[in-house]
Amino acid sequence: DEGISLITQAEFGIAYDPHTNYIAIPIYDAIGSLVGVKGRYFGEPDDYHSKYMYIENCNKSKVLYGYWQNKDCIKHSKYVIVVESEKSVLKLAEYGFRNVVATGGKTISRHQVELISRTGKSPVFAFDKDVQEDELKQIANMFADCIEVYAVIDTDNLLNEKESPMDREQVWITLYNDFVYKIK
């Protein structure tokens, strides 16, 4: 229903775990080792089933989801797009953007900052609508002074509250082309 093709799902190893009724999202580190499996409940979350859980636990603060699959495109790009969720990496792959990684949430660890910095590319943060500009500036300040940091900032209110910038392809393309601002 999210518009993520079977080809993209197969490339990223997305599967279904019938034992837990969760969609299984394998998490790989920067050298391609499987370090965990995140699950998204296949149904409406309730008191017994959270929307997301780790089927095989990993330290999400030590990895950037999608880096392993997108490393070659990142290497040949000027920027690395940083999003919150694994689903956003998959959606952007569908739109043809392969220089993308996810932090696993709106917070970012020092280790993730280091991993992004090691790419040698300027990060462009494309976090959900509910992340405020001052939060983005705090994240930007975690990077060394020599690294330019950018963010997609929806100054024209193209997004609905809590909407992800990549939920709708045309909105994403407009935001990426016209609403990327240097924040550091």
Side-chain angles (χ1 to χ4, degrees), residues 110-131:
R110 291 254 178 232
H111 190 80
Q112 289 171 321
V113 167
E114 186 176 314
L115 291 172
I116 292 167
S117 298
R118 284 184 193 166
T119 68
K121 310 303 176 183
S122 293
V124 177
F125 286 89
F127 281 5
D128 293 357
K129 175 79 171 181
D130 63 338
V131 178

mmCIF file of all heavy atoms in Angstrom, residues 110-131:
data_model
loop_
_atom_site.group_PDB
_atom_site.id
_atom_site.type_symbol
_atom_site.label_atom_id
_atom_site.label_comp_id
_atom_site.label_asym_id
_atom_site.label_seq_id
_atom_site.Cartn_x
_atom_site.Cartn_y
_atom_site.Cartn_z
ATOM 1 N N ARG A 110 26.064 10.297 18.210
ATOM 2 C CA ARG A 110 27.405 10.737 17.817
ATOM 3 C C ARG A 110 28.018 9.750 16.813
ATOM 4 O O ARG A 110 28.695 10.145 15.879
ATOM 5 C CB ARG A 110 28.318 10.847 19.040
ATOM 6 C CG ARG A 110 27.936 11.978 19.950
ATOM 7 C CD ARG A 110 28.934 13.099 19.803
ATOM 8 N NE ARG A 110 28.523 14.208 20.643
ATOM 9 C CZ ARG A 110 28.396 15.435 20.205
ATOM 10 N NH1 ARG A 110 28.655 15.711 18.950
ATOM 11 N NH2 ARG A 110 28.022 16.401 21.010
ATOM 12 N N HIS A 111 27.760 8.473 17.039
ATOM 13 C CA HIS A 111 28.295 7.450 16.133
ATOM 14 C C HIS A 111 27.699 7.623 14.728
ATOM 15 O O HIS A 111 28.419 7.504 13.729
ATOM 16 C CB HIS A 111 27.995 6.053 16.672
ATOM 17 C CG HIS A 111 28.706 4.972 15.940
ATOM 18 N ND1 HIS A 111 30.023 4.648 16.163
ATOM 19 C CD2 HIS A 111 28.285 4.145 14.945
ATOM 20 C CE1 HIS A 111 30.386 3.669 15.364
ATOM 21 N NE2 HIS A 111 29.346 3.345 14.609
ATOM 22 N N GLN A 112 26.400 7.907 14.636
ATOM 23 C CA GLN A 112 25.778 8.133 13.334
ATOM 24 C C GLN A 112 26.322 9.398 12.675
ATOM 25 O O GLN A 112 26.529 9.420 11.456
ATOM 26 C CB GLN A 112 24.259 8.199 13.469
ATOM 27 C CG GLN A 112 23.642 6.845 13.771
ATOM 28 C CD GLN A 112 22.168 6.931 14.115
ATOM 29 O OE1 GLN A 112 21.726 7.856 14.807
ATOM 30 N NE2 GLN A 112 21.405 5.972 13.630
ATOM 31 N N VAL A 113 26.576 10.431 13.462
ATOM 32 C CA VAL A 113 27.203 11.643 12.926
ATOM 33 C C VAL A 113 28.557 11.289 12.325
ATOM 34 O O VAL A 113 28.904 11.733 11.222
ATOM 35 C CB VAL A 113 27.341 12.738 14.017
ATOM 36 C CG1 VAL A 113 28.263 13.864 13.565
ATOM 37 C CG2 VAL A 113 25.975 13.275 14.402
ATOM 38 N N GLU A 114 29.317 10.466 13.028
ATOM 39 C CA GLU A 114 30.630 10.043 12.537
ATOM 40 C C GLU A 114 30.498 9.240 11.243
ATOM 41 O O GLU A 114 31.255 9.449 10.287
ATOM 42 C CB GLU A 114 31.336 9.214 13.610
ATOM 43 C CG GLU A 114 32.752 8.856 13.254
ATOM 44 C CD GLU A 114 33.448 8.106 14.381
ATOM 45 O OE1 GLU A 114 33.334 8.534 15.548
ATOM 46 O OE2 GLU A 114 34.100 7.092 14.069
ATOM 47 N N LEU A 115 29.529 8.328 11.183
ATOM 48 C CA LEU A 115 29.324 7.536 9.965
ATOM 49 C C LEU A 115 28.958 8.429 8.776
ATOM 50 O O LEU A 115 29.463 8.236 7.665
ATOM 51 C CB LEU A 115 28.235 6.487 10.188
ATOM 52 C CG LEU A 115 28.568 5.340 11.133
ATOM 53 C CD1 LEU A 115 27.324 4.497 11.408
ATOM 54 C CD2 LEU A 115 29.689 4.477 10.563
ATOM 55 N N ILE A 116 28.083 9.396 9.008
ATOM 56 C CA ILE A 116 27.697 10.325 7.940
ATOM 57 C C ILE A 116 28.903 11.151 7.522
ATOM 58 O O ILE A 116 29.160 11.337 6.327
ATOM 59 C CB ILE A 116 26.533 11.230 8.396
ATOM 60 C CG1 ILE A 116 25.258 10.402 8.572
ATOM 61 C CG2 ILE A 116 26.299 12.374 7.402
ATOM 62 C CD1 ILE A 116 24.143 11.118 9.318
ATOM 63 N N SER A 117 29.660 11.634 8.487
ATOM 64 C CA SER A 117 30.841 12.447 8.190
ATOM 65 C C SER A 117 31.856 11.671 7.363
ATOM 66 O O SER A 117 32.492 12.230 6.463
ATOM 67 C CB SER A 117 31.487 12.942 9.489
ATOM 68 O OG SER A 117 30.584 13.753 10.201
ATOM 69 N N ARG A 118 32.011 10.380 7.641
ATOM 70 C CA ARG A 118 32.969 9.542 6.912
ATOM 71 C C ARG A 118 32.619 9.386 5.435
ATOM 72 O O ARG A 118 33.478 9.020 4.637
ATOM 73 C CB ARG A 118 33.059 8.164 7.540
ATOM 74 C CG ARG A 118 33.845 8.135 8.813
ATOM 75 C CD ARG A 118 33.954 6.719 9.303
ATOM 76 N NE ARG A 118 34.427 6.681 10.655
ATOM 77 C CZ ARG A 118 34.372 5.607 11.428
ATOM 78 N NH1 ARG A 118 33.862 4.481 10.971
ATOM 79 N NH2 ARG A 118 34.831 5.657 12.649
ATOM 80 N N THR A 119 31.368 9.642 5.063
ATOM 81 C CA THR A 119 31.016 9.537 3.644
ATOM 82 C C THR A 119 31.691 10.636 2.834
ATOM 83 O O THR A 119 31.830 10.518 1.625
ATOM 84 C CB THR A 119 29.491 9.639 3.420
ATOM 85 O OG1 THR A 119 29.035 10.967 3.731
ATOM 86 C CG2 THR A 119 28.726 8.597 4.217
ATOM 87 N N GLY A 120 32.071 11.736 3.507
ATOM 88 C CA GLY A 120 32.657 12.872 2.812
ATOM 89 C C GLY A 120 31.632 13.706 2.065
ATOM 90 O O GLY A 120 31.989 14.589 1.294
ATOM 91 N N LYS A 121 30.363 13.435 2.297
ATOM 92 C CA LYS A 121 29.272 14.139 1.623
ATOM 93 C C LYS A 121 28.541 15.038 2.612
ATOM 94 O O LYS A 121 28.450 14.742 3.796
ATOM 95 C CB LYS A 121 28.270 13.139 1.025
ATOM 96 C CG LYS A 121 28.904 12.056 0.188
ATOM 97 C CD LYS A 121 29.726 12.606 -0.955
ATOM 98 C CE LYS A 121 30.444 11.500 -1.719
ATOM 99 N NZ LYS A 121 31.283 12.011 -2.778
ATOM 100 N N SER A 122 28.002 16.131 2.110
ATOM 101 C CA SER A 122 27.210 17.019 2.964
ATOM 102 C C SER A 122 25.866 16.370 3.245
ATOM 103 O O SER A 122 25.178 15.944 2.312
ATOM 104 C CB SER A 122 26.983 18.363 2.275
ATOM 105 O OG SER A 122 28.191 19.062 2.137
ATOM 106 N N PRO A 123 25.476 16.289 4.511
ATOM 107 C CA PRO A 123 24.170 15.710 4.810
ATOM 108 C C PRO A 123 23.032 16.694 4.519
ATOM 109 O O PRO A 123 23.164 17.899 4.736
ATOM 110 C CB PRO A 123 24.249 15.409 6.309
ATOM 111 C CG PRO A 123 25.280 16.348 6.838
ATOM 112 C CD PRO A 123 26.243 16.596 5.720
ATOM 113 N N VAL A 124 21.941 16.140 4.016
ATOM 114 C CA VAL A 124 20.693 16.883 3.825
ATOM 115 C C VAL A 124 19.646 16.150 4.659
ATOM 116 O O VAL A 124 19.231 15.042 4.311
ATOM 117 C CB VAL A 124 20.253 16.926 2.345
ATOM 118 C CG1 VAL A 124 18.910 17.643 2.220
ATOM 119 C CG2 VAL A 124 21.302 17.593 1.478
ATOM 120 N N PHE A 125 19.247 16.751 5.770
ATOM 121 C CA PHE A 125 18.257 16.127 6.639
ATOM 122 C C PHE A 125 16.861 16.366 6.083
ATOM 123 O O PHE A 125 16.487 17.503 5.796
ATOM 124 C CB PHE A 125 18.381 16.656 8.076
ATOM 125 C CG PHE A 125 19.580 16.091 8.770
ATOM 126 C CD1 PHE A 125 20.810 16.721 8.688
ATOM 127 C CD2 PHE A 125 19.496 14.894 9.451
ATOM 128 C CE1 PHE A 125 21.934 16.176 9.281
ATOM 129 C CE2 PHE A 125 20.611 14.341 10.060
ATOM 130 C CZ PHE A 125 21.831 14.983 9.974
ATOM 131 N N ALA A 126 16.113 15.280 5.918
ATOM 132 C CA ALA A 126 14.739 15.342 5.428
ATOM 133 C C ALA A 126 13.863 14.609 6.428
ATOM 134 O O ALA A 126 13.392 13.504 6.190
ATOM 135 C CB ALA A 126 14.637 14.731 4.031
ATOM 136 N N PHE A 127 13.718 15.246 7.592
ATOM 137 C CA PHE A 127 12.946 14.649 8.671
ATOM 138 C C PHE A 127 11.472 15.031 8.546
ATOM 139 O O PHE A 127 11.108 15.915 7.774
ATOM 140 C CB PHE A 127 13.503 15.081 10.022
ATOM 141 C CG PHE A 127 14.749 14.329 10.447
ATOM 142 C CD1 PHE A 127 15.368 13.411 9.630
ATOM 143 C CD2 PHE A 127 15.302 14.554 11.693
ATOM 144 C CE1 PHE A 127 16.509 12.714 10.029
ATOM 145 C CE2 PHE A 127 16.440 13.866 12.111
ATOM 146 C CZ PHE A 127 17.034 12.946 11.280
ATOM 147 N N ASP A 128 10.634 14.351 9.332
ATOM 148 C CA ASP A 128 9.191 14.577 9.270
ATOM 149 C C ASP A 128 8.823 15.997 9.658
ATOM 150 O O ASP A 128 9.601 16.713 10.300
ATOM 151 C CB ASP A 128 8.466 13.586 10.179
ATOM 152 C CG ASP A 128 8.582 12.145 9.687
ATOM 153 O OD1 ASP A 128 9.181 11.920 8.615
ATOM 154 O OD2 ASP A 128 8.075 11.251 10.380
ATOM 155 N N LYS A 129 7.622 16.391 9.302
ATOM 156 C CA LYS A 129 7.105 17.748 9.516
ATOM 157 C C LYS A 129 7.182 18.165 10.988
ATOM 158 O O LYS A 129 7.395 19.333 11.291
ATOM 159 C CB LYS A 129 5.656 17.813 9.004
ATOM 160 C CG LYS A 129 4.929 19.096 9.250
ATOM 161 C CD LYS A 129 5.307 20.162 8.276
ATOM 162 C CE LYS A 129 4.388 21.362 8.447
ATOM 163 N NZ LYS A 129 4.696 22.420 7.522
ATOM 164 N N ASP A 130 7.027 17.212 11.923
ATOM 165 C CA ASP A 130 6.988 17.565 13.351
ATOM 166 C C ASP A 130 8.362 17.882 13.942
ATOM 167 O O ASP A 130 8.452 18.311 15.090
ATOM 168 C CB ASP A 130 6.288 16.471 14.171
ATOM 169 C CG ASP A 130 7.013 15.135 14.138
ATOM 170 O OD1 ASP A 130 7.791 14.896 13.192
ATOM 171 O OD2 ASP A 130 6.779 14.321 15.051
ATOM 172 N N VAL A 131 9.428 17.715 13.184
ATOM 173 C CA VAL A 131 10.767 18.077 13.666
ATOM 174 C C VAL A 131 10.990 19.557 13.368
ATOM 175 O O VAL A 131 10.919 19.993 12.223
ATOM 176 C CB VAL A 131 11.858 17.204 13.011
ATOM 177 C CG1 VAL A 131 13.239 17.632 13.477
ATOM 178 C CG2 VAL A 131 11.608 15.727 13.319
#
